[in-house]
Amino acid sequence: MNDASPVADGREAIDADPATDEADLLTGELVLTGRVMPASNATFVGTIGDVEVVYKPVSGEQPLWDFPDGTLAEREVAAHLVSEVTGWHVVPLTWLRDGPHGPGMVQLWQTVDPGQEAVTIVPAGAVPAGMLHVFDGYDGRDRRVSLVHEDTPALRRMAVLDVVLNNADRKGGHVLEMADGHRHGIDHGLTLHAEHKLRTVLWGWLDEPLTEEELDGVRRVRASVDDETDGLGAVLHDLLKVAEVEALAARCDALLSAGTLPAPSGPMPAVPWPPF
């Protein structure tokens, strides 16, 4: 972790999207227009010029027993950088900068298609065509239900990325359904821990072989971690601990060696709660 400042300057994340104006997004006035109240950490919506963004100040992060205080914003940026290396663009453009409540993470706002549901709950056993079953449970009215998610390449790429990132909090509400079929993933503060923490609702592909596209994405991340000139190896040490960067490389190696999407393992719950 960079001890000289609570955050890095975010330049690497901005540079990842040549369509953005770096100076405006890094230093333009961030005007808050609302707050996401259900969020566990302070989460605001706002604008930088004409660009809609989400802003999560470090000062609004809630303490967690297994993630060091004040590190969630940096993990969000690191997750975006890893996502970009895969070439899948799962995590929207995310960077670090100052704001009305101090330094924090800023991310481009994404407008979802309300007519699509990548992850949902259905009556028990009534799995729709094109969906995969994850687990059964009971709803608030004590009715048996099933959690399911779509079986699409876009969502599978997110599931693979979550393994690489060691995502401890992939809820259904953290999947954004775009009108063109693309799937964005958000809320990556609980990622990239050195210890196994994978908790996700995307368990529908247990033990299925990785596609060549998925393997290539993981290979790109693994090679970039070793690149300390132009790759992830040059930037992640400002955002994460050395052990966390090493663990990222080890997860890539394990995934490439297995060649399959993993099944749940370890003593931790396999699914975050609540799942949405």
Side-chain angles (χ1 to χ4, degrees):
M1 201 73 63
N2 186 350
D3 295 328
S5 169
V7 295
D9 67 7
R11 187 170 304 276
E12 294 83 6
I14 297 297
D15 287 345
D17 188 342
T20 61
D21 187 314
E22 176 183 325
D24 286 348
L25 292 184
L26 283 174
T27 62
E29 183 182 9
L30 173 53
V31 178
L32 303 186
T33 58
R35 182 171 180 178
V36 182
M37 295 309 296
S40 56
N41 298 292
T43 303
F44 299 90
V45 292
T47 58
I48 303 173
D50 295 330
V51 179
E52 290 187 275
V53 298
V54 176
Y55 163 57
K56 298 181 184 179
V58 173
S59 61
E61 295 179 5
Q62 297 297 314
L64 295 161
W65 70 269
D66 53 349
F67 283 83
D69 291 353
T71 69
L72 305 192
E74 291 170 315
R75 295 175 191 279
E76 295 245 29
V77 172
H80 166 71
L81 295 175
V82 173
S83 169
E84 288 303 288
V85 170
T86 65
W88 303 334
H89 310 297
V90 173
V91 183
L93 179 63
T94 310
W95 66 102
L96 294 161
R97 57 157 287 170
D98 204 8
H101 299 291
M105 156 272 198
V106 178
Q107 185 174 82
L108 290 187
W109 176 266
Q110 305 297 319
T111 301
V112 302
D113 180 355
Q116 300 185 44
E117 285 187 307
V119 184
T120 190
I121 292 175
V122 299
V127 180
M131 306 289 276
L132 298 174
H133 176 266
V134 179
F135 70 84
D136 297 323
Y138 292 87
D139 67 8
R141 297 183 181 180
D142 207 32
R143 298 173 298 189
R144 292 191 66 244
V145 294
S146 297
L147 186 141
V148 300
H149 64 66
E150 65 184 16
D151 183 11
T152 64
L155 197 63
R156 261 187 67 125
R157 288 191 289 268
M158 187 183 301
V160 175
L161 180 64
D162 283 342
V163 177
V164 171
L165 294 176
N166 196 19
N167 193 349
D169 196 34
R170 175 62 72 205
K171 294 182 171 73
H174 297 169
V175 178
L176 303 186
E177 302 91 346
M178 311 310 292
D180 63 359
H182 186 68
R183 299 298 182 243
H184 279 303
I186 59 170
D187 287 336
H188 293 96
L190 303 187
T191 58
L192 294 159
H193 201 287
E195 300 175 8
H196 178 72
K197 298 284 182 180
L198 184 60
R199 293 190 291 267
T200 176
V201 296
L202 305 181
W203 287 115
W205 299 283
L206 297 186
D207 297 325
E208 289 194 10
L210 296 172
T211 67
E212 193 58 36
E213 178 193 14
E214 292 161 354
L215 289 167
D216 282 345
V218 179
R219 292 187 189 108
R220 284 191 286 270
V221 173
R222 183 62 184 89
S224 188
V225 172
D226 284 342
D227 184 350
E228 297 187 357
T229 301
D230 299 310
L232 290 170
V235 295
L236 287 187
H237 289 289
D238 286 333
L239 300 166
L240 306 170
K241 295 179 179 178
V242 171
E244 292 169 336
V245 178
E246 292 174 345
L248 168 61
R251 286 192 299 274
C252 290
D253 288 339
L255 195 54
L256 292 170
S257 177
T260 60
L261 281 153
S265 63
M268 299 292 292
V271 176
W273 196 260
F276 284 89

